Amino acid sequence: MTDSMILTVQNHLEHDPRLEGWSPLGIGMTFETDKWVELILSYSLTETVPDYLEQMFERAQGCAVYGCYHYPLFTLAVEELFRLKESALREAVRETRASKTVLKQSYADLLKWAYKENLIDQQRHDQWQAARELRNITSHKGDYLLLGPNDAIGHLQFTVEMTDEIFRACRTHSKSSS
């Protein structure tokens, strides 16, 4: 590792050189740091969610923004987004007034329940399942894992889609079961 990759008092506000050569379209041309920050901050949850979920989302966004200055924070941003997805699913299912037994289920079983209740279709179930498996991999990693800006952007976008969608589905489900 070179000195320019280690955070110091002198360089902590400079973009991390590992960001060079990346753009939202992939490797090849450098995308200015301010443009990365603009793109990262352009994502927001459109559904009204509990404050703690909004704070989790903002924490993940903040990690992604500061990944521009310390590249490993992109990995932390993605890990935070995986945690947010599980918390969002649990909270959305709670809004359906599901039983305590359902709410205590494992993440995998809760996904099965959401599928059986038609809150998510097969494709979305598979995507939630993949996100759950990736969460497990990143949470229990043995080797060094370094994700980049495009990973963070992709997961921000996907998390917004999945979170907004599951809350809409659960709220519709709650109204139709009343």
Side-chain angles (χ1 to χ4, degrees):
M1 187 180 281
T2 67
D3 287 345
S4 64
M5 292 184 199
I6 297 171
L7 282 177
T8 66
V9 172
Q10 292 75 27
N11 73 6
H12 75 279
L13 295 177
E14 297 172 14
H15 83 272
D16 191 310
R18 291 171 282 190
L19 192 62
E20 292 174 14
W22 284 98
S23 80
L25 303 175
I27 299 173
M29 55 185 249
T30 299
F31 202 58
E32 297 299 321
T33 305
D34 287 351
K35 294 293 183 190
W36 278 114
V37 172
E38 264 181 46
L39 183 57
I40 292 164
L41 295 178
S42 72
Y43 294 96
S44 62
L45 298 169
T46 59
E47 287 295 310
T48 303
V49 298
D51 287 345
Y52 80 95
L53 293 175
E54 190 67 46
Q55 290 167 5
M56 288 176 80
F57 184 78
E58 290 170 1
R59 185 169 53 242
Q61 250 183 337
C63 289
V65 164
Y66 284 94
C68 296
Y69 304 98
H70 186 62
Y71 202 88
L73 290 175
F74 288 123
T75 304
L76 183 58
V78 172
E79 291 170 347
E80 285 294 312
L81 291 168
F82 288 142
R83 285 186 277 279
L84 169 62
K85 284 183 192 85
E86 179 179 4
S87 296
L89 176 67
R90 288 188 180 285
E91 185 63 33
V93 169
R94 189 189 64 72
E95 286 190 12
T96 69
R97 297 185 187 97
S99 71
K100 288 182 182 181
T101 304
V102 168
L103 295 173
K104 289 181 181 180
Q105 291 180 348
S106 70
Y107 190 6
D109 288 337
L110 199 57
L111 286 172
K112 289 177 193 169
W113 181 88
Y115 174 70
K116 287 178 187 170
E117 290 291 315
N118 294 315
L119 298 172
I120 53 177
D121 62 19
Q122 183 65 54
Q123 179 182 357
R124 200 51 107 183
H125 175 270
D126 293 346
Q127 292 168 331
W128 276 97
Q129 183 64 18
R132 186 189 71 79
E133 290 172 10
L134 287 169
R135 182 218 50 181
N136 289 345
I137 289 167
T138 61
S139 294
H140 307 293
K141 59 187 173 278
D143 294 332
Y144 184 69
L145 175 67
L146 188 64
L147 300 173
N150 290 340
D151 298 303
I153 295 292
H155 283 285
L156 276 166
Q157 180 180 7
F158 199 50
T159 299
V160 167
E161 287 173 19
M162 292 173 75
T163 301
D164 285 346
E165 185 179 280
I166 195 65
F167 271 95
R168 279 192 301 274
C170 287
R171 288 170 177 162
T172 301
H173 182 272
S174 290
K175 288 178 185 174
S176 66
S177 356
S178 299

